[in-house]
Amino acid sequence: MKLRRFSQISFRNLGARPQRTILTTVGIVLGVGIVFGVITLSNTMSGTFTNLFSKAYGAADLTVTASGGNDSFNHKLLEKIRADKDVKYAAPRLSLPASIIFKGKTRNGLPKVQSMRLFGVEPKSAAFATGFDLAKGRFPRSGAELTLDEGTAQSAGLKVGDEVRIGTPGGPVKAKVVGVLRIPGGSFGGIAFGMMPLPYVQKEFGKPNKISGVAVQAQNGVPVKSLQKQLSRKLGDRLQVEQSSTRTAEVNSQFQGFKIALLFFAGTALFVGAFLVFNALSMTILERTRELGMLRALGSTRAMIARSVILEAAILGVFGSLAGLLFGYGMARGLIFLFGKAFLFEITSLSVSPFALVSAVAVGIIITVLAALYPALRAGRVSPVEAMRARSGIVGSSKKRGRISRLAPLVGLLLIGAGVPWTYHLAKNLSAQLQGLVYASGIAGTVATFLGVSFIIPSLIRPLAAALAPLLRLLFGVEGRMAAANATRNRGRTALTASALMIGISLVIAFATLGGSVLGSIRAYLEGSLGSDYVIEPATSNSNNITFSPKLADRVKRLPGVEKTTSIASTFESKDSQIFFVFGLDRNYPDIFRINYAPGSKSPQNAFSKLQNGQALVGKQLARTHKLKVGSKVTVPGPSGPKKYRVAGIVANDILGGGSGVYLSRDTLAHDFNESSAGFLAIKAKPGSNRQTLSQKIRHILQDYPQFRLYSNAEWKARIESQFNRQYVFFYAIMGVSVAVSAFGVVNTLSMSVFERTREIGILRAIGTTKLQVGRLVVDEGVVISLIGCILGIILGSLLGYLFVRGSGASGFDINYYYPTRPALYALLAGLAIGVFAGLLPARSAARKDIVESVQYE
Amino acid sequence: MKFRDSLTAGQTGYKRRFRRLQSSPGYTRYVEKNGRVAVEISDLEKVYGEGRAAVRALKGISLEFPAGEFAAIMGPSGSGKSTLLHILGALDRPSSGKVVVGGQDLSGLSDRKLTLLRRERMGFVFQFFNLIPTLSAEENILLPALIAGEKAAKYAGRLDELLDLVGLQNRRTHRPDELSGGEQQRVAIARALVRNPDIVLADEPTGNLDSKTGDGILALLRESANRYEQTIIMVSHDARAAGSADRVIFLADGRVVDEARGLEPDEILERVKTLESTS
């Protein structure tokens, strides 16, 4: 390409330093990729949910459900709805968690089980009960007929006419597949979806005469709104009549906080990417000072120079953003896969919206150009006299810089001073309602803190490097000490690079703190209060609310070697974003689980026995937020209106309900909440009994309940932890990208250092420094920089993590703060590794420099 | 005449852009080309730094450079000759005193105006050649035209002419790192001449070259001064280089201490030695 215009010099410059160009672009690619990935992920999520729920709740105009929660109500109400002359049709359904049991076995010899959402439907209105279309066969008519979703049918190789087993509380029942449903997006997020005749479901799941929802279609010409009002007046408070679209929107709005958190992580990665661009361009300009001076001497105006730098950035921005889209697509796929693993909701199809495409590219270009503004202005300010100077390097600007850097720590302290208390305040007081605005201002506080620390870092570099120097000297000899000194030579650059790393590391540490604290609290609870030897739980962890019949508990109880069992039934109710976890306990509960009463509870000895009188125990957090005392009354929303219970005691170690649990007797729960069956059984073995034979016997019983599994204490704890960690992997993956971006920043800084010190390296080599020593000098500098970033990141992350823990505490979960020792250690090791790996390439180029040329280098 | 034609063809755009400068008082390109003054400085002072750290690099210099003259400025290091060149080239501003280029007083001109002035009226030759490493020889030569926003195609004739002049016709597509030092400096000279400036400022143009190559470069400057009626102001340590100038100006300690015409290199060397020993 022949040069035709001045602006084309920008392209030449990029082409001339491919390594630098690629390094700079990597920042943009990763940043844009993560933004695109996250937007696509959240779009896909909303899209999938909207689609699924709008279909699942029927394409009908209105949906009638019990107010608050997933309760069922008497099917007589259906007749009331049907009696309305404005109702064209009304299709009832009984929606239940169930499981489907396939023929094969898993690797450890246990039956293959999948969670299923089961709809009991009327044969005559089955087609209206959901909005799903039939792909094959027909809807269920009578008996054990099942119409199954296409995804599950395909993955299990089931065809119309095949037989399959369905897990019910009383044990598995055989069902015949009579039809296959087409599900938008392929599957119901990894959960099977099935329809069976309503009477059959009511009988097998112990819900006689109950339904949980009715899809209502208005007569032609009747406005949906007026029918809605009409029906809700008729049906009373206990039932709610909603437009199907509102319900879908509600489901979607529950993702808001999740989406904001995702975007925040994406934002950090982009921010770090912008750092990288800023850094790289500043370096390029330093490198080209004389060239820029010459261009000024030849008559380029300041604006022309600045424009050419911005153009250079814009070119990078365009290409980087486009490449970022590719990366982001892969990333979205990966994230959705991880999301499926973490939250047990598989999404098979990806929805890429034009908005995501355009906004990711626009954000990428804008951020790149913004990051280029300051370097561009500085490039424009290069004096034409620089053209005449022998040495390249900005000399004149040091004075101005001094003034800024004296002010920066102050600004930084101010920002930290504002950001930390603000975040803390939010965490402590407001996060009970984690809404978009609270999230956003919490994020603003966090960002202010990050910025503040970044401003202070330049002043911290020298003492930190000095502190690290003895260690480096010990580890790496004299090169280590020199490297520490080198890192302080351009404090601004070192600080920029280190703060980019700091942000990524501190987020990882903060999340590790939160995760570790939750896990630690769970562990402490289990160790402190679990008196059982085995538990029986649903086999799939996304179907925690399936239940078993009391027969299972009885059979286990009668086994020789079993001393005691206790089963727990549970349900949840929500009102105005406040969630109540309600548990039904039997008399054996305190013999197996130890209950610690909060100080101040009167006569804790007989507090538990008062449950039989219809009183309740409440979690500590709930007591705090509702200002409850022993003897006062707690109001819990229920399927048949709000219920009041006298508080018999306040539980200090309420991990089942995360501090917000309400504990009733099994009878009270069955009576007030229609929940009579349990899904969890804890077993205490007789001392001295043979555990192996006991577990074999229990497993034998469980053959009749393949949707449930037996876990020993150790297995159960491990299961809880792995379920928990799975969710964190998802966030770690996103944060890992921003750490990766900042690692590239270290490479960039080091190559610049090598470039700047060409002559110095030549001299070192001339006086007898070996190639290896020169290389190590560079690597060690990388280690110094990244260790500074990691150490600060660990400190800041622990602090943020503490705030997160407090924040979760306020929302009802009672968590103790556990210091993330292991993650902090890993972060330090990661710091070392990043430093070393980032240093390798620049070190090679330093070691390979020709001595004679370097010494003569001007 | 062929050359003149290509020149005017290439300058229609520039003329439009430069009209504002042309209309400034006292400016007449015609007059200055006919035996008048190209650059005039009076009572020029330059102080670096402030307070006790202040260094007076130029302590009141007044000089005139007639159009078409090839002048050399000599002096020991620290005499202020580089500073003087920077100010003459509108790269830097004096602390006090006046610089008049082609009848235009530079004091009070904005950075942008100074930049335009450099673009239109000055050419630069540097000690370290300062070619853009990513551009080929011909692209480097055309750079000032591109900076001025002109189309490269307009300068095709001019480019050929200059490549002939500096003898690099067969090296035109080479990158700077594929050229020898002498060749790079010739590219730099062609670059300085491409827009036919009134004044060419050369900062130690032979400083990085061996003496034979340096002689070639000086001959080239000499020839371009004669052929294109350009004023050439050169700063140099090199007595041989100064010997090829019309006039040699001696600087010491920020002041003009001597000037002479038609000196032989040996005599110049002698004078510089005296200056160095006295200062």
Side-chain angles (χ1 to χ4, degrees), chain A residues 440-782:
Chain A
S441 60
I443 286 168
T446 313
V447 169
T449 312
F450 279 145
L451 273 179
V453 176
S454 314
F455 278 136
I456 294 179
I457 289 185
S459 342
L460 292 177
I461 294 290
R462 209 166 275 173
L464 276 173
L468 286 172
L471 174 78
L472 285 165
R473 173 153 212 172
L474 202 72
L475 288 174
F476 308 111
V478 70
E479 298 94 318
R481 217 204 59 76
M482 277 176 73
N486 275 342
T488 65
R489 278 165 58 175
N490 192 331
R491 284 187 291 159
R493 196 194 306 148
T494 303
L496 221 55
T497 318
S499 39
L501 250 177
M502 173 196 76
I503 292 174
I505 295 283
S506 66
L507 283 177
V508 172
I509 293 289
F511 265 76
T513 309
L514 182 59
S517 295
V518 173
L519 256 186
S521 304
I522 294 176
R523 227 180 265 144
Y525 166 78
L526 290 178
E527 270 150 29
S529 55
L530 186 65
S532 64
D533 299 301
Y534 296 100
V535 301
I536 289 175
E537 258 201 329
T540 52
S541 41
N542 52 359
S543 58
N544 276 328
N545 36 6
I546 62 172
T547 57
F548 49 77
S549 79
K551 246 194 266 168
L552 169 63
D554 285 343
R555 283 171 70 185
V556 173
K557 209 187 297 174
R558 281 202 303 270
L559 285 176
V562 171
E563 186 177 301
K564 252 182 189 148
T565 66
T566 182
S567 55
I568 302 173
S570 63
T571 184
F572 74 91
E573 295 290 335
S574 64
K575 205 189 172 208
D576 308 334
S577 83
Q578 170 92 35
I579 297 174
F580 293 85
F581 296 97
V582 191
F583 300 94
L585 309 178
D586 61 21
R587 284 163 209 269
N588 288 344
Y589 183 83
D591 299 333
I592 293 184
F593 292 91
R594 208 173 77 215
I595 305 176
N596 295 330
Y597 291 97
S601 301
K602 275 175 270 165
S603 60
Q605 301 88 329
N606 42 21
F608 188 81
S609 62
K610 285 184 185 158
L611 293 192
Q612 302 309 320
N613 312 335
Q615 297 197 9
L617 299 178
V618 295
K620 201 170 69 179
Q621 282 289 333
L622 187 76
R624 199 180 299 153
T625 48
H626 286 229
K627 300 196 172 59
L628 298 172
K629 285 199 193 82
V630 175
S632 60
K633 285 197 169 171
V634 59
T635 311
V636 183
S640 45
K643 294 281 172 194
K644 284 194 172 186
Y645 302 101
R646 187 173 292 280
V647 175
I650 292 165
V651 182
N653 58 344
D654 168 29
I655 207 82
L656 286 181
S660 294
V662 177
Y663 294 87
L664 306 171
S665 71
R666 288 287 300 274
D667 289 341
T668 318
L669 190 76
H671 183 263
D672 294 348
F673 294 87
N674 297 324
E675 190 56 75
S676 55
S677 35
F680 179 89
L681 185 74
I683 303 158
K684 191 175 184 179
K686 272 190 189 129
S689 63
N690 186 334
R691 296 294 167 89
Q692 195 147 10
T693 39
L694 178 61
S695 64
Q696 258 170 15
K697 277 177 187 158
I698 301 174
R699 287 215 171 88
H700 182 76
I701 296 175
L702 283 181
Q703 277 178 5
D704 293 340
Y705 305 88
Q707 69 271 41
F708 287 91
R709 293 265 156 87
L710 178 74
Y711 300 94
S712 72
N713 271 356
E715 285 166 346
W716 192 47
K717 282 179 197 165
R719 185 171 192 234
I720 291 174
E721 289 188 17
S722 81
Q723 277 173 12
F724 195 80
N725 286 331
R726 246 191 337 222
Q727 302 186 3
Y728 275 78
V729 166
F730 179 72
F731 291 107
Y732 283 142
I734 296 178
M735 289 181 286
V737 176
S738 69
V739 174
V741 179
S742 44
F744 281 102
V746 181
V747 181
N748 221 336
T749 296
L750 290 177
S751 21
M752 194 59 206
S753 298
V754 168
F755 171 81
E756 266 181 347
R757 296 185 199 134
T758 300
R759 186 145 69 166
E760 198 176 308
I761 290 167
I763 293 165
L764 281 175
R765 295 274 286 120
I767 60 172
T769 316
T770 63
K771 282 188 174 188
L772 192 71
Q773 284 172 314
V774 165
R776 267 172 49 184
L777 198 57
V778 178
V779 169
D780 292 353
E781 192 180 339

Side-chain angles (χ1 to χ4, degrees), chain A residues 195-208:
Chain A
M195 291 161 93
M196 292 184 86
L198 181 61
Y200 184 83
V201 174
Q202 285 171 335
K203 192 180 107 230
E204 291 297 331
F205 287 81
K207 303 262 179 189

Side-chain angles (χ1 to χ4, degrees), chain B residues 185-200:
Chain B
Q185 195 60 304
R186 284 194 232 182
V187 172
I189 289 174
R191 180 179 67 186
L193 299 178
V194 70
R195 302 199 68 220
N196 197 31
D198 300 326
I199 304 150
V200 174

